[in-house]
Amino acid sequence: MSSNSKIIPMKRSLSIFLLLLTLSIQAQETPKGHYNTSKFRQMTDLLPPPNAYRTASGAPGKAYFQNKADYDMNIELIDSDKPRLTGHERITYYNNSPDDLSYLWVQLDQNKRAPDSYTDQIKDDGSNMMLRPGKFVSKYTNEGYKGGFHITKLIDTNGNKLDYTINHTMMRIDLPQVLKSGETYSFDIDWWYDINNFAEDWGRSGFEHFKEDGNNLYIIAQFYPRMAVYDDVNGWQNMQFIQTGEFALPFGHFKVNITAPADHILDGTGVLTNRKEILTRKQYKRYLKALKTFDKPIEIVTTEEAIAKERKRSNKKKTWKFDAENVRDFAFASSRKFIYDMMAVKLDSKNTMAVSMYPKEGQPLWGKYSTITVANTLRQYSKHLFDYPYHKAISVNAYRQGMEYPMICWNYGRTKNGKYSDQTRNGMIKVITHEVGHNWFPMIVNSDERQWMWMDEGLNTFTELLAEQAFEKELGFSLHSRGLPKSVVPFMSGDQNKMHPIMINSDLMYNRSMTAYSKPTAGLYMLREVIMGHKLFDHAFKTYANRWKFKHPEPGDFFRTLEDDSAIDLDWFWRGWFYTTRMNNMGIKQVEKFYVTDKPTQRIKNMAKSYGMKVSDFPTFVSLVTEESSDFEPDMKSKKTFLERNVKLKTFLNEHFTKDEIKKLKAPKYFYRVVFEQKGELVMPIVVKLTYKDGTNKRIIYPAKVWRFNDKEVSKMIPSDQEIVKIELDPENLTADIDMSNNNWPKSERKSEFEKTKEKMKH
């Protein structure tokens, strides 16, 4: 700082300098707008108040609890013309809540397929005019498949019968005495059910029959009576399973023995504890090699071995033994048709295994892409969230499937005569990424799927998008990931009567693909790319995942964590994007070029007159005027900068800056006043791309709170060293703008995403 007593600190003098320039903006005639601050009000009216269980920061509180359920099961898979599953299980339930429980609720998901299915009862049959043959027979005749659990025994560990009531897919067990806080209770259930043909009558599990060789391929899930969740939010989560809203389950320890035909290859959730006894000597040796192979899959059961098994049938049985700790569910797959490959994956804290099981009908597509896709998913999700905690992740090929369970998932992708299209290949890679990714949301970050589908599907689809973007470089082709903001434009432009907010119960969604998957993904993408930035968003997203892994988060926990971790107020975003179906429709209303003057403008003269003052006595202003203004003078377009020709500014600078400091100041040659308008009902950041005369460009993002006092129109003055020849509002459509035709200056004809989609549909 200079020794001259007139010189003030540089930062302060710059602030005064900028203030003088911005005063002219404030002096402009502001448009009459909607001074509506309701879109920015805090969400105290929407979120439950914080408490000892869930804090205001979004973290679990000191009193947070979750109950636990352990399972010891013996299962037999009967592979016959009428496949059946039989089971015995002992459930040990831990009441870690502060409450005493007089009854327990158990889920019976297979009852969705019972003859008196609640799911069928509540369906509008107008949507069932076209049915698969198997579904038609079971629905409208007395023949065909009759599903549902058959409970043959329900007793305590002393052999005493327990009272129970079955209400469709839920069973209440009335305890002989109250289960007090801190106590455990064990009971035994014996059951069986006939396995459904999922390829004929769609389902998340069941069997697929191959007529060519007479074999079945089994994907078995939701196959055992399992405990419902009891928590601080709902008490018992005992909503009926009608298929859309998926699962709410407690964590536990599973010990499961599965008996199947001796020639089957079987794998599932948990550690296979008797692998060495189950596999042949050659297969086990290949398995040991796979444990140390990180660059390509190793076939444990080869294509040739699988094809050879298809021609024979074993009358013997084998029992596969699994042990799974800290999982919320169990599933498995079994068939003599399976090719079985693995490769090791290195994560930051450990190694894990990527695994695939598929019939020859998946070759060569699955051998080439399945396991490496699993490996990429494990690496990328671990990078963005936390290291995958389990020892394996399995991708199973099943007809038209896409479904997830802990450590195992079913995925589609078949070939015809060994050939496949790019569409089939890309779709298979995307569904494998998505279903393996579900290990994080909701298998570990264990949200309530029965209530909030977006908390697993939306968060997972977003992370899938990041994983696929990274994978594209390795693959050498684009996967066209869904969930980008522009992809939801046709949906958000549609009929509001067929649209629901994201924050709606899973079973009540009209369009779950958009409402639970794509729109939440687009919202998170906006947060990362536009609103928060990568660094703040990634840290907050990872904080949420780590806070709630192996716990039961609620929506408020997610919303609060992202704000708490980033110091960004996002209530306006959650309120608009998640709780409403409002649309974003921004545009450029007007662009004017301004020039600097230190001479009293007509506006200043009028202001002085109204205050009874002389113009010379009125406070000094630096004003900005347009060519159309009566105050405009031709010399304002002089090549000299306004710092060089503006007397008042030169005086100010000489009084407050040194000569060296003045030389360093950059004086913009051009000022552009841009008026942005919002014809929709959302508020969003304003993303602007400026293109200069020399062809270079610049990106500016004005935060959403620029709309806080006027949510219909806002103006920004943009200074520039060189002439701006083009201004584009959000050219990449990162804010789901439903009409891009008014987003350019000078105005150019540009079709909206909705119009483009309509044209594609015509062709």
Side-chain angles (χ1 to χ4, degrees):
M1 186 172 66
S2 169
S3 61
N4 189 334
S5 60
K6 292 183 180 181
I7 301 298
I8 61 177
M10 182 72 171
K11 288 184 179 179
R12 185 182 170 197
S13 58
L14 279 171
S15 299
I16 296 172
F17 170 62
L18 293 172
L19 175 63
L20 285 169
L21 289 176
T22 56
L23 280 172
S24 64
I25 301 173
Q26 296 176 3
Q28 301 298 320
E29 193 69 45
T30 56
K32 293 182 179 180
H34 293 213
Y35 292 90
N36 177 10
T37 60
S38 65
K39 293 175 183 176
F40 292 95
R41 69 188 186 276
Q42 297 298 290
M43 293 210 304
T44 53
D45 57 325
L46 295 174
L47 296 183
N51 52 45
Y53 304 113
R54 297 167 193 273
T55 68
S57 71
K62 290 183 178 179
Y64 176 81
F65 72 88
Q66 58 190 44
N67 291 351
K68 179 185 176 185
D70 291 344
Y71 300 83
D72 283 296
M73 288 191 273
N74 289 296
I75 309 299
E76 182 169 2
L77 172 64
I78 301 172
D79 181 22
S80 65
D81 293 340
K82 292 186 177 181
R84 176 172 291 185
L85 202 70
T86 67
H88 165 81
E89 64 182 304
R90 170 165 290 184
I91 301 177
T92 300
Y93 188 70
Y94 300 77
N95 182 15
N96 298 323
S97 80
D99 308 320
D100 295 339
L101 305 176
S102 58
Y103 48 77
L104 307 177
W105 279 103
V106 176
Q107 300 182 33
L108 302 177
D109 290 357
Q110 287 298 325
N111 283 1
K112 177 195 167 295
R113 299 186 169 277
D116 60 347
S117 168
Y118 177 77
T119 305
D120 284 342
Q121 291 172 358
I122 66 170
K123 276 185 178 177
D124 176 0
D125 284 334
S127 63
N128 287 330
M129 301 307 290
M130 295 188 298
L131 301 172
R132 292 182 180 275
K135 180 66 175 177
F136 186 91
V137 171
S138 64
K139 184 175 178 67
Y140 293 118
T141 75
N142 292 324
E143 300 300 323
Y145 172 74
K146 292 182 176 63
F149 277 115
H150 296 263
I151 306 295
T152 58
K153 184 186 293 183
L154 178 55
I155 59 175
D156 64 19
T157 54
N158 294 319
N160 301 313
K161 290 184 179 180
L162 294 174
D163 292 332
Y164 65 93
T165 300
I166 294 178
N167 178 11
H168 297 290
T169 61
M170 299 299 300
M171 178 171 69
R172 189 189 70 236
I173 300 176
D174 298 316
L175 298 175
Q177 58 187 28
V178 169
L179 180 61
K180 294 182 178 180
S181 174
E183 293 183 343
T184 62
Y185 185 76
S186 297
F187 57 97
D188 296 336
I189 307 178
D190 288 358
W191 49 266
W192 64 269
Y193 71 88
D194 289 329
I195 303 173
N196 60 297
N197 184 330
F198 74 81
E200 299 246 341
D201 181 7
W202 186 86
R204 288 177 165 87
S205 69
F207 74 92
E208 174 186 0
H209 183 68
F210 292 79
K211 293 181 180 178
E212 298 81 3
D213 54 49
N215 287 291
N216 291 337
L217 183 156
Y218 294 90
I219 49 172
I220 305 297
Q222 300 153 248
F223 64 89
Y224 60 99
R226 53 191 188 171
M227 292 301 304
V229 166
Y230 183 87
D231 64 17
D232 61 288
V233 178
N234 301 295
W236 284 106
Q237 170 49 289
N238 54 10
M239 298 173 68
Q240 295 290 339
F241 175 56
I242 63 174
Q243 193 158 294
T244 307
E246 292 181 344
F247 317 123
L249 298 162
F251 288 102
H253 185 180
F254 288 72
K255 293 182 179 179
V256 183
N257 300 325
I258 306 171
T259 300
D263 52 358
H264 274 216
I265 289 296
L266 187 152
D267 208 343
T269 306
V271 176
L272 177 57
T273 60
N274 63 336
R275 187 185 300 272
K276 190 172 184 179
E277 292 76 26
I278 286 290
L279 298 178
T280 67
R281 187 174 298 178
K282 286 184 178 180
Q283 290 167 350
Y284 188 72
K285 189 175 181 180
R286 295 169 192 154
Y287 165 73
L288 294 178
K289 181 181 179 181
L291 292 175
K292 299 177 182 179
T293 304
F294 294 87
D295 59 341
K296 63 180 180 180
I298 301 297
E299 284 191 348
I300 311 304
V301 177
T302 67
T303 302
E304 293 73 21
E305 288 171 338
I307 292 174
K309 283 186 179 182
E310 290 180 346
R311 306 188 186 105
K312 301 177 181 179
R313 298 288 185 278
S314 173
N315 295 321
K316 297 180 180 180
K317 300 177 182 180
K318 282 184 179 179
T319 299
W320 302 66
K321 299 179 180 180
F322 294 91
D323 190 294
E325 292 189 33
N326 214 11
V327 295
R328 72 171 204 164
D329 201 1
F330 191 98
F332 67 94
S334 182
S335 179
R336 60 179 57 87
K337 290 178 66 67
F338 278 143
I339 303 161
Y340 188 34
D341 71 33
M342 301 181 186
M343 67 179 282
V345 182
K346 187 177 292 295
L347 305 178
D348 283 344
S349 62
K350 58 178 292 187
N351 293 340
T352 188
M353 298 300 293
V355 185
S356 293
M357 304 167 71
Y358 46 96
K360 67 178 186 299
E361 288 78 4
Q363 285 288 55
L365 177 62
W366 270 64
K368 186 174 182 179
Y369 289 110
S370 177
T371 301
I372 65 167
T373 301
V374 176
N376 175 72
T377 307
L378 295 173
R379 286 191 293 264
Q380 292 301 320
Y381 275 67
S382 295
K383 171 185 172 183
H384 288 286
L385 301 168
F386 50 79
D387 271 5
Y388 184 67
Y390 301 129
H391 73 291
K392 68 182 177 186
I394 309 170
S395 170
V396 181
N397 179 275
Y399 181 70
R400 294 185 179 178
Q401 281 286 339
M403 193 59 205
E404 73 281 356
Y405 300 93
M407 304 185 214
I408 190 168
C409 56
W410 335 133
N411 304 299
Y412 67 78
R414 294 280 168 84
T415 61
K416 191 172 183 179
N417 298 322
K419 296 181 179 179
Y420 54 88
S421 66
D422 289 350
Q423 183 179 5
T424 297
R425 177 200 63 196
N426 291 5
M428 185 204 80
I429 292 171
K430 286 168 61 60
V431 76
I432 291 174
T433 303
H434 183 88
E435 305 307 343
V436 172
H438 269 306
N439 277 286
W440 281 264
F441 304 115
M443 302 302 154
I444 299 170
V445 183
N446 191 11
S447 56
D448 181 356
E449 296 179 275
R450 196 63 55 91
Q451 185 72 265
W452 306 115
M453 184 182 287
W454 70 268
M455 288 193 75
D456 68 292
E457 297 297 357
L459 301 191
N460 181 46
T461 304
F462 167 73
T463 317
E464 172 199 347
L465 187 153
L466 300 181
E468 288 168 358
Q469 287 178 337
F471 202 27
E472 285 174 340
K473 298 176 184 178
E474 184 177 332
L475 293 171
F477 52 81
S478 175
L479 295 169
H480 303 291
S481 301
R482 66 174 170 177
L484 295 172
K486 64 183 179 181
S487 71
V488 302
V489 167
F491 167 68
M492 297 186 72
S493 306
D495 184 354
Q496 287 279 326
N497 293 322
K498 296 181 179 179
M499 203 177 300
H500 292 113
I502 294 170
M503 289 292 293
I504 190 172
N505 174 270
S506 302
D507 289 325
L508 302 180
M509 290 181 184
Y510 189 87
N511 185 335
R512 66 174 185 166
S513 175
M514 296 304 299
T515 306
Y517 292 70
S518 294
K519 190 181 176 186
T521 298
L524 296 179
Y525 194 83
M526 290 180 205
L527 286 176
R528 189 172 191 259
E529 299 297 325
V530 180
I531 299 168
M532 299 174 70
H534 287 199
K535 187 173 182 180
L536 285 174
F537 177 87
D538 289 352
H539 192 276
F541 196 52
K542 183 174 284 190
T543 295
Y544 165 75
N546 280 276
R547 278 179 174 178
W548 290 97
K549 62 184 178 183
F550 300 111
K551 294 182 176 67
H552 304 295
E554 290 287 315
D557 303 319
F558 178 72
F559 299 150
R560 284 171 166 146
T561 293
L562 262 64
E563 294 192 33
D564 182 75
D565 190 87
S566 66
I568 297 179
D569 181 4
L570 297 170
D571 283 21
W572 62 270
F573 181 74
W574 309 130
R575 184 181 293 279
W577 194 256
F578 279 74
Y579 284 86
T580 78
T581 58
R582 293 171 182 161
M583 298 171 287
N584 174 35
N585 186 4
M586 278 191 281
I588 297 175
K589 183 178 182 180
Q590 185 181 18
V591 178
E592 295 177 290
K593 186 184 291 185
F594 281 77
Y595 300 90
V596 179
T597 180
D598 60 351
K599 297 179 181 179
T601 63
Q602 188 60 47
R603 180 175 175 79
I604 291 175
K605 293 175 184 177
N606 293 339
M607 290 173 67
K609 184 177 180 180
S610 67
Y611 285 105
M613 300 170 63
K614 294 179 182 179
V615 172
S616 58
D617 296 331
F618 202 75
T620 300
F621 281 96
V622 178
S623 297
L624 295 170
V625 298
T626 65
E627 289 187 55
E628 290 74 24
S629 169
S630 59
D631 299 307
F632 176 78
E633 296 177 356
D635 70 334
M636 293 178 185
K637 302 178 79 170
S638 165
K639 291 184 179 180
K640 291 183 177 181
T641 69
F642 63 81
L643 292 182
E644 295 172 321
R645 57 183 167 76
N646 193 298
V647 176
K648 292 178 181 176
L649 279 174
K650 288 173 69 176
T651 301
F652 171 82
L653 293 173
N654 288 329
E655 290 178 350
H656 296 88
F657 290 76
T658 67
K659 289 182 179 180
D660 288 339
E661 288 172 339
I662 292 173
K663 288 179 181 179
K664 293 178 182 178
L665 292 175
K666 290 185 178 181
K669 296 179 181 179
Y670 303 90
F671 291 85
Y672 296 85
R673 178 174 177 264
V674 185
V675 181
F676 301 99
E677 62 181 343
Q678 176 59 272
K679 294 181 179 180
E681 295 179 309
L682 280 180
V683 287
M684 280 288 167
I686 301 174
V687 182
V688 183
K689 179 182 178 183
L690 307 174
T691 301
Y692 300 103
K693 195 170 184 177
D694 66 356
T696 60
N697 54 66
K698 178 183 178 181
R699 186 190 192 205
I700 303 173
I701 298 178
Y702 300 109
K705 281 196 174 179
V706 73
W707 303 95
R708 67 194 184 282
F709 297 128
N710 185 341
D711 59 5
K712 293 300 178 185
E713 192 171 299
V714 67
S715 300
K716 295 301 296 184
M717 188 68 74
I718 301 176
S720 176
D721 292 337
Q722 59 173 307
E723 186 176 355
I724 295 174
V725 297
K726 189 176 183 180
I727 301 176
E728 298 171 271
L729 177 57
D730 194 8
E732 298 175 3
N733 202 345
L734 297 173
T735 60
D737 192 333
I738 65 167
D739 182 7
M740 302 288 285
S741 63
N742 59 347
N743 285 27
N744 297 278
W745 176 86
K747 186 174 177 60
S748 61
E749 291 297 324
R750 179 170 178 173
K751 293 179 180 178
S752 69
E753 292 297 326
F754 181 58
E755 291 171 328
K756 291 178 183 177
T757 302
K758 284 178 68 177
E759 286 190 359
K760 288 180 181 178
M761 291 175 68
K762 288 180 182 178
H763 299 294

